[in-house]
Amino acid sequence: MAITDWPAADRPREKLLAQGAGTLTDAELLAIFLRVGVRGKSAVDLARDLLARFGSLTRLFAAEAPQFAAVPGMGEAKYAQLQAVLELARRALGEEVAERPLFTSPRAVADYLRLTLAREPREVFLALWLDARHRLIASEPLFHGTLTQTAVYPREVVKRALAHNAAAVIVAHNHPSGAAEPSAADESLTRALRDALALVDVRLLDHFIVPSVGAPRSLAERGLI
């Protein structure tokens, strides 16, 4: 049955307008993006197929163009639209974290880091440089590594802190392998960075681990800073 034949209250677009986007399932939200289905499948059916094929929204968003375009009904145009939506969300979050002290919006910071790092195929170490009021000066990737590790040099981090005239910093790196928990090496690095930055009066506020799937983990919340 086509979505247009459904009761109005069950149609994703009408449901969103009447009840808000938060009431929709992942498949219903994705169906609004897709707009139309394919022969024998509604947009909701196609959305469910996509989620089943890739396993989650995160993995769907992380799919490369050939993987995405291989799904019947998809193609390069739809892939480009999806990437544009993701980039708009990333930029909106970037504006949010830039407009207010970062510690007043920890969820926005975590969401921004997830959108920025979770899809990276290799480890990336990122610094969010902050002024004395904890407002964002710059978001700067400092080091790039392999699938499982990145060499981070505290001396270079200190040099960049001085270059930005930063008063504080939040650092983050991703775990493309999917590991969500900080390793012993992550904890050791956090302590080394905290101590090195303290020598130049720059405060390390947090170190986030960003898994490929799931929410970023805060080392500050675990009492490791």
Side-chain angles (χ1 to χ4, degrees):
M1 181 186 296
I3 290 177
T4 53
D5 295 328
W6 294 8
D10 293 337
R11 299 173 197 163
R13 187 181 304 168
E14 285 77 0
K15 185 176 176 181
L16 183 150
L17 293 172
Q19 302 177 39
T23 64
L24 273 64
T25 66
D26 291 348
E28 289 171 332
L29 289 168
L30 191 55
I32 292 176
F33 166 76
L34 295 173
R35 294 183 56 238
V36 296
V38 295
R39 181 181 293 273
K41 291 184 179 180
S42 69
V44 173
D45 294 329
L46 183 55
R48 289 171 180 152
D49 286 351
L50 282 168
L51 291 171
R53 183 183 184 112
F54 290 99
S56 68
L57 283 173
T58 300
R59 291 191 176 94
L60 171 62
F61 294 156
E64 298 294 334
Q67 294 175 290
F68 186 87
V71 179
M74 299 298 100
E76 290 185 349
K78 192 64 71 175
Y79 179 79
Q81 291 172 12
L82 182 63
Q83 296 307 307
V85 169
L86 289 172
E87 184 59 27
L88 285 170
R90 186 180 296 112
R91 294 186 187 189
L93 282 167
E95 290 176 358
E96 184 174 349
V97 299
E99 289 173 354
R100 64 182 70 182
L102 289 196
F103 259 29
T104 67
S105 53
R107 181 174 180 180
V109 175
D111 288 344
Y112 173 76
L113 292 172
R114 183 177 180 183
L115 279 176
T116 303
L117 294 177
R119 299 174 62 233
E120 290 288 340
R122 297 291 182 265
E123 282 201 10
V124 177
F125 184 88
L126 179 80
L128 301 177
W129 301 112
L130 313 176
D131 65 14
R133 296 175 62 185
H134 294 173
R135 294 174 302 186
L136 186 67
I137 298 171
S139 173
E140 182 179 32
L142 297 179
F143 307 101
H144 294 76
T146 67
L147 178 65
T148 58
Q149 63 182 351
T150 304
V152 177
Y153 303 98
R155 176 188 175 106
E156 295 301 316
V157 177
V158 169
K159 287 171 62 176
R160 296 307 301 160
L162 295 174
H164 286 286
N165 195 28
V169 63
I170 294 173
V171 300
H173 76 275
N174 59 314
H175 280 178
S177 62
E181 296 303 313
S183 65
D186 293 333
E187 296 179 12
S188 177
L189 171 63
T190 301
R191 290 189 289 268
L193 288 171
R194 178 197 61 198
D195 295 345
L197 288 163
L199 294 175
V200 292
D201 200 26
V202 176
R203 185 181 172 197
L204 177 63
L205 298 180
D206 209 337
H207 183 179
F208 283 92
I209 308 300
V210 183
S212 56
V213 177
R217 305 300 202 269
S218 163
L219 274 72
E221 289 181 353
R222 298 172 180 232
L224 297 173
I225 296 179

